[in-house]
């Protein structure tokens, strides 16, 4: 069996921190409402930083932490729907920023908040054919630019950031046992594009998304475990998309796992969509919560509607 392992991770958080009290000066909300309904206390917003700055910063850190040179990269896949340009892709901007080889396969994909896990599975397939065995997987979003700061039901939820993973392909490495899915729906969660008259803001029916998420996260986690022939006890950590602490709490309960094995950072990041899982992974790796040989079962869900799960192992 062939597959990939994580050799290094990185992240970039914009300098500006926005508190719930800051948002309460703009819309009719309160720290108490946001904290109890979502678990979010602060989030980062870009000011002078660009999407490209975040991607290049996170990717550079992942390369450094892995001890791998840019010339060893065979592919770079970015997950995002809020990059600086519709074209070139964020991955192409990273190719330029870091001087990745010209034959490295660089492109973006859009699976919203499931994007990083779609991208890492895509990378697993790509590296089997790539000119070199190392790949960069990015999740990055500037969601503060696609927010309606007059809509209290969405603008308090999201934040900006980027996370990166440097992965290595190996003929004897384990499969990610990825589970990916989508159910096309442009009603409950969507961001209009350039071909529509509507403003390019996040539109969301929060309760419908909540109901979708509390069903999708535990189902997806169980499907990954089944594919891998494992039980929850075989997993070192569960890394779930940071959208709402209440969604995570529901999933933990349904799976019957100890909440201590499902760490989070939502109180400091808000929902950073495709950046959410790699940002948290980097924090956990940097803090020593996941070490070499350990397994993290990651699950994402979001716009599309999409869902994704994968078993990531640290080299
Ligand atoms: N501050 C204060 N009140 C707010 C508010 C805010 N920021 N946002 C909404 N409200 C109000 C509503 O207007 C409503 O008022 P009403 O009862 O007078 O009509 C009330 O709070 C309850 O709204 P409701 O939508 O039922 O709240 P909720 O408990 O479902 O929480 C979410 C709202 C958005 C936090 C929740 O539905 C959620 O997290 N959904 C999933 C969203 C998600 O994860 N999206 C990303 C997917 S990747």
């Amino acid at each position: 069996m062939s597959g990939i392992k994580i050799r290094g991770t990185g992240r970039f958080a914009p300098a500006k921190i926005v508190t719930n009290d800051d948002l309460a000066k703009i819309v009719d909300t309160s720290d108490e409402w946001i904290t109890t309904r979502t678990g979010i206390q602060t989030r980062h917003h870009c000011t002078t930083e660009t999407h490209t700055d975040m991607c290049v910063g996170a990717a550079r850190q992942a390369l450094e932490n892995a001890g791998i040179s840019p010339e060893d990269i065979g592919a770079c896949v970015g997950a995002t729907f809020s990059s600086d340009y519709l074209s070139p892709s964020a991955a192409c901007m990273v190719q330029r920023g870091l001087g990745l080889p010209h034959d490295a396969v660089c492109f973006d994909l859009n699976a919203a908040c499931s994007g990083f896990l779609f991208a890492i599975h895509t990378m697993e397939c790509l590296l089997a054919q790539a000119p070199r065995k190392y790949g960069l997987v990015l999740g990055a979003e500037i969601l503060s630019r696609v927010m309606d700061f007059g809509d209290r039901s969405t603008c308090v939820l999201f934040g900006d950031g980027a996370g990166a993973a440097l992965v290595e392909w190996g003929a004897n490495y384990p499969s990610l046992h990825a589970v990916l899915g989508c159910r096309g729906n442009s009603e409950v969660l969507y961001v209009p594009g350039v071909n529509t008259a509507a403003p390019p803001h996040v539109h969301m029916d929060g309760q419908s998304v909540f109901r979708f998420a509390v069903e999708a996260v535990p189902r997806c986690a169980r499907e990954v475990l089944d594919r891998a022939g494992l039980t929850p006890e075989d997993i070192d950590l569960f890394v779930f998309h940071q959208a709402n602490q209440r969604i995570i709490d529901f999933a933990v309960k349904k799976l019957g796992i100890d909440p201590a094995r499902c760490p989070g950072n939502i109180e400091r990041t808000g929902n950073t969509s495709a950046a959410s899982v790699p940002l948290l992974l980097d924090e956990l790796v940097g803090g020593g919560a996941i070490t070499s040989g350990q397994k993290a079962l990651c699950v994402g869900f979001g716009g599309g509607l999409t869902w994704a799960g994968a078993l990531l192992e640290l080299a």
Side-chain angles (χ1 to χ4, degrees):
M1 188 195 294
S2 66
I4 57 177
K5 289 189 184 183
I6 294 189
R7 280 286 299 261
T9 57
R11 72 174 180 275
F12 186 104
K16 184 179 177 189
I17 294 172
V18 178
T19 66
N20 292 343
D21 286 337
D22 291 334
L23 291 170
K25 291 176 193 148
I26 306 171
V27 284
D28 181 15
T29 189
S30 65
D31 177 46
E32 199 267 336
W33 192 96
I34 302 171
T35 306
T36 38
R37 299 286 178 126
T38 72
I40 301 165
Q41 291 173 12
T42 59
R43 72 287 289 146
H44 294 259
H45 283 180
C46 286
T47 51
T48 56
E49 305 96 337
T50 65
H51 191 279
T52 302
D53 293 336
M54 295 201 298
C55 288
V56 171
R60 182 177 284 122
Q61 212 178 67
L63 281 167
E64 284 170 6
N65 288 337
I68 301 295
S69 305
E71 58 264 29
D72 293 324
I73 297 299
C76 175
V77 181
T80 186
F81 66 89
S82 58
S83 52
D84 290 335
Y85 304 97
L86 287 178
S87 178
S89 66
C92 283
M93 297 307 285
V94 169
Q95 184 279 325
R96 181 166 86 169
L98 294 179
L100 306 182
H102 287 177
D103 63 349
V105 181
C106 299
F107 65 97
D108 291 353
L109 59 79
N110 172 358
C113 305
S114 312
F116 177 77
L117 295 172
F118 272 64
I120 204 161
H121 173 62
T122 303
M123 181 62 80
E124 182 182 36
C125 303
L126 265 180
L127 284 182
Q129 300 287 323
R132 287 164 294 278
K133 65 177 180 173
Y134 297 108
L136 268 170
V137 186
L138 307 164
E141 305 287 6
I142 301 194
L143 298 178
S144 60
R145 303 273 160 79
V146 289
M147 275 309 120
D148 174 359
F149 282 96
D151 176 7
R152 66 179 182 173
S153 67
T154 53
C155 76
V156 302
L157 302 177
F158 297 93
D160 302 341
L166 188 297
V167 301
E168 177 182 6
W169 184 86
N172 302 318
Y173 280 1
S175 159
L176 297 174
H177 298 290
V179 170
L180 311 179
C182 69
R183 190 193 308 148
N185 181 311
S186 56
E187 288 83 43
V188 303
L189 179 56
Y190 65 99
V191 185
V194 291
N195 296 324
T196 63
H201 295 143
V202 170
H203 299 259
M204 187 177 71
D205 168 358
Q207 290 193 357
S208 295
V209 176
F210 197 98
R211 281 195 295 274
F212 156 69
V214 295
E215 184 276 326
V217 177
R219 171 175 48 79
C220 202
R222 283 200 194 100
E223 281 178 30
V224 174
L225 289 170
D226 287 349
R227 279 193 192 189
L230 299 175
T231 68
E233 288 65 45
D234 299 313
I235 303 301
D236 297 293
L237 283 183
F238 293 82
V239 177
F240 293 160
H241 171 44
Q242 303 289 293
N244 185 321
Q245 188 58 45
R246 284 159 56 217
I247 294 173
I248 296 167
D249 293 344
F250 266 100
V252 162
K253 208 168 160 192
K254 274 198 190 172
L255 287 166
I257 55 178
D258 177 358
R261 291 166 64 216
C262 188
N265 60 4
I266 191 168
E267 71 279 8
R268 285 173 283 112
T269 62
N271 180 346
T272 56
S273 189
S276 154
V277 167
L279 272 172
L280 178 54
L281 263 182
D282 181 64
E283 277 193 31
L284 296 171
V285 172
I290 308 179
T291 53
S292 180
Q294 289 194 318
K295 294 184 189 65
L297 199 169
C298 305
V299 178
F301 63 90
L305 296 167
T306 55
W307 56 90
L311 202 54
L312 307 190
E313 189 172 323
L314 213 60

